[in-house]
Amino acid sequence: MLGAPPAPTDETQPPEVSENDAIVECGLYLDGVRRPERLNYTEALRVAREHGNGFVWLGLKEPVAGQLGHVAETFGLHELAVEDAVTRGQRPKVERYADMTFCTMRTARYVEHEELTASSEIVETGDMMMFIGEHFIITVRHGDACNLGRIRSQLDQRAELLRQGPWAVAYAVYDLVVDVYLDVVDSIEDDIDVIEEVVFATEARTGRHRSGRIQRIYQLKRELMEFKRAVLPLQRPLSGLVHREVVDLPKEIRRYFRDVHDHLNRASEQVLYFDDLLNSVLQARLAQVTVDQNNDMRKIAAWAGIAAVWTALAGIYGMNFKYMPELDWRFGYPAVWAILLIVTAVMYRGFRRSGWL
């Protein structure tokens, strides 16, 4: 008779997921001023709605679906937006769900490295999502590319801006992400300068181009493409916010978003320029490799031509025929050496003058 299956032990039980593990910060703002008391988001949302000109800023980091369940129920978040918020790699967008707006963007930061190699990580990307309602803004961050801690302290000193409501925080988040884009652009430009210096520099003794390995150029281009996928797709949703295509932003906030949009356009132009520049550098390096290979082939051909004279003469006088001219001539051996050396010197000089040697 088979016994009853054993009861599951603690090792087989899935670990409990607490929503507090994903919460980074919860702040209550009334008339643009952050309240000092620490409240949970449910109580903070109730106070914000009762006050009128108040909102809650709830910050989450890398939440899973189970951790967003009660948050979504409390704030009335749409299930499709919640599903997107727990999935990394979302394309930048702005979507409207009834009285709530859902925004996504890709974050990026520059990874410091001593030397550019074929496997260097240059750009680290992540995700930033925002749920924006009348009395709340929920920021969801995936990855460590953009830490919102510094803009929290900065915004706490700008009560006039925070009186504009949750969209003031949204502007600050967009501004931080785009400003980091510009920092990454400046750092990538330094890497491209190093690549150009290596590719186009020549060695003094040989006149050959230094070994700027194509793998390094390709790696930088690959990292640039990852950064490009973060920057360029953000243009359309940000433009939609500026031109009120999705959300009718307050006039004052729209001015701030217009400034962010201008900065994003500058970053986008630089990324496209870098892409074209790296293509040119890669083509130049391939051309250099071809030229160096042709130079090597010409040198081999020149030395082969010189060796052919010695081989031909040695072959003729090595046929062991009894009756051959100059075999019995007293000065035949020195004459052969003289002819070989003279022909070799003439050929060598000719090849040197033509650039083959």
Side-chain angles (χ1 to χ4, degrees), residues 17-19 21-24 59-69 71 82-88 127 129 131 138-143:
V17 177
S18 172
E19 63 181 17
D21 296 337
I23 296 178
V24 177
L60 306 175
K61 182 181 180 183
E62 299 179 354
V64 297
Q67 294 171 322
L68 271 180
V71 174
V82 173
E83 181 180 350
D84 288 343
V86 298
T87 306
R88 302 191 61 163
D127 298 274
M129 292 89 162
F131 299 90
I138 304 173
T139 55
V140 179
R141 178 166 61 95
H142 292 274

Side-chain angles (χ1 to χ4, degrees), residues 233-357:
L234 185 57
Q235 286 184 295
R236 184 171 181 179
L238 193 54
S239 176
L241 291 175
V242 172
H243 297 96
R244 297 186 293 183
E245 295 176 1
V246 181
V247 182
D248 189 8
L249 297 179
K251 183 177 180 180
E252 185 65 25
I253 292 297
R254 198 162 62 251
R255 290 197 187 100
Y256 287 100
F257 271 95
R258 190 178 297 114
D259 180 68
V260 176
H261 190 246
D262 290 340
H263 292 172
L264 179 63
N265 286 338
R266 194 175 79 183
S268 301
E269 291 171 359
Q270 286 292 99
V271 168
L272 293 175
Y273 166 71
F274 290 159
D275 193 21
D276 292 339
L277 183 59
L278 279 179
N279 285 334
S280 300
V281 172
L282 183 59
Q283 293 300 322
R285 180 56 189 152
L286 292 174
Q288 289 173 359
V289 171
T290 303
V291 170
D292 290 341
Q293 290 176 344
N294 289 338
N295 289 336
D296 293 339
M297 291 302 298
R298 288 193 299 179
K299 290 180 181 180
I300 294 172
W303 285 114
I306 294 174
V309 176
W310 292 67
T311 303
L313 197 58
I316 292 173
Y317 282 91
M319 290 188 294
N320 296 322
F321 289 111
K322 182 177 181 180
Y323 300 101
M324 292 184 66
E326 296 86 25
L327 283 180
D328 298 327
W329 184 35
R330 181 179 179 181
F331 300 103
Y333 182 72
V336 170
W337 274 103
I339 292 172
L340 286 175
L341 293 176
I342 292 173
V343 172
T344 299
V346 171
M347 293 182 66
Y348 180 80
R349 183 179 181 185
F351 285 133
R352 289 283 293 180
R353 294 181 64 181
S354 62
W356 283 46
L357 289 176

Side-chain angles (χ1 to χ4, degrees), residues 25-39 43-44 47-48 51 53-57 156 162:
E25 187 72 26
C26 179
L28 172 63
Y29 295 83
L30 303 178
D31 289 326
V33 179
R34 179 170 180 170
R35 303 301 301 170
E37 57 267 19
R38 298 179 64 86
L39 303 174
E43 182 65 18
V47 174
H51 185 273
N53 189 20
F55 67 90
V56 178
W57 181 2
D156 288 347
L162 289 176

